[in-house]
Amino acid sequence: MKILMVLTSHDKLGDTGKKTGFWLEELAAPYYAFKDAGAELTLASPKGGPSPLDPKSSDPSAQTDATRRFNADETAKAELAATRKLADVSIDDYDAVFYPGGHGPLWDLAEDKHSIQLIERALAAGKPVAAVCHAPGVLRYARDPRTGEPVVRGKHATGFTDSEEAAVGLTKVVPFLVEDMLKANGAHFERGPDWAPFAVSDGLLITGQNPASSELAAERLLGKLRQKQPGGAG
């Protein structure tokens, strides 16, 4: 199994003067779910090189077994410091794509033409695409090449909820709200309780609601890949 993990290159939290980026748990938990399952991983970002970490995701209260394992893993940190440039990767070389969240993707990956093409080509090739927390925002402009409709139209999906965004006080800072965007694009939005693990699979699309949903979304993606392996169901 070869999985491409796509991270943000954006580090500015709107006009607040504060920093953002990707959320550590949303990289670390899937990273080890995939690694421990024997997958070969590649990290990429729009600009390549180091992907910016949201400093709040380093707060002691945000740490988990996966984040502690990542912070002690020199190989993983080296991969994060040298992500491949998104324009230089091809979906032909991978079996699936996973997008960790954090607020950063709302500014760059949601608009990035290479990311949009990657998603569209992955789905057209029958390869699953997973995104967690704010990362379902990367689906905003992705279209089904056959119909021209948003790839989420008619799909059951989740993502960081409006109430969770309000709870962190960034409703007026982010360029768009993930829940509202998914609904506007015709998705059947589903959710669990705020901050609780919740993920949705619909066809090739897998979405997770919040940081606590990262490992669950990764396991759903692994399940899709195992179904495709010889002897797998489906």
Side-chain angles (χ1 to χ4, degrees):
M1 290 184 292
K2 294 185 177 181
I3 301 173
L4 178 66
M5 300 187 77
V6 183
L7 293 157
T8 184
S9 293
H10 185 88
D11 68 352
K12 294 180 177 62
L13 189 61
D15 298 324
T16 65
K18 297 178 180 178
K19 293 293 187 180
T20 190
F22 74 91
W23 197 260
L24 182 56
E25 164 70 3
E26 297 169 30
L27 169 63
Y31 181 93
Y32 290 113
F34 298 148
K35 281 278 189 181
D36 293 347
E40 182 180 330
L41 301 182
T42 299
L43 274 53
S45 64
K47 294 181 180 179
S51 176
L53 173 69
D54 187 317
K56 285 195 170 182
S57 71
S58 291
D59 287 351
S61 62
Q63 300 317 295
T64 65
D65 288 345
T67 63
R68 287 185 281 270
R69 182 178 174 186
F70 193 93
N71 283 325
D73 187 336
E74 295 303 323
T75 299
K77 290 191 289 185
E79 291 175 3
L80 178 60
T83 69
R84 292 192 61 191
K85 193 171 182 180
L86 195 53
D88 295 336
V89 300
S90 169
I91 190 58
D92 296 342
D93 298 325
Y94 302 96
D95 300 304
V97 185
F98 190 98
Y99 284 83
H103 284 90
L106 299 184
W107 276 276
D108 64 351
L109 287 169
E111 309 274 344
D112 186 90
K113 67 178 183 179
H114 299 294
S115 177
I116 294 166
Q117 289 171 357
L118 182 80
I119 293 164
E120 292 174 346
R121 290 172 181 170
L123 296 174
K127 298 178 179 183
V129 174
V132 67
C133 198
H134 287 88
V138 306
L139 304 169
R140 188 181 192 187
Y141 295 117
R143 296 289 185 266
D144 184 325
R146 299 165 299 175
T147 65
E149 297 282 356
V151 296
V152 299
R153 185 172 298 282
K155 296 287 187 183
H156 295 269
T158 192
F160 205 59
T161 62
D162 290 356
S163 56
E164 287 168 322
E165 199 70 81
V168 298
L170 295 175
T171 300
K172 303 296 185 183
V173 173
V174 293
F176 64 93
L177 296 170
V178 174
E179 177 180 342
D180 290 357
M181 179 279 291
L182 289 171
K183 290 176 177 176
N185 278 4
H188 301 297
F189 189 82
E190 298 183 12
R191 58 169 296 164
D194 284 359
W195 314 114
F198 185 78
V200 178
S201 298
D202 192 336
L204 296 169
L205 200 61
I206 300 153
T207 46
Q209 181 176 320
N210 48 37
S213 309
S214 302
E215 186 170 2
L216 181 57
E219 292 294 344
R220 293 281 181 91
L221 181 60
L222 286 170
K224 294 280 185 189
L225 292 175
R226 289 178 182 127
Q227 287 177 3
K228 292 186 158 203
Q229 290 178 335

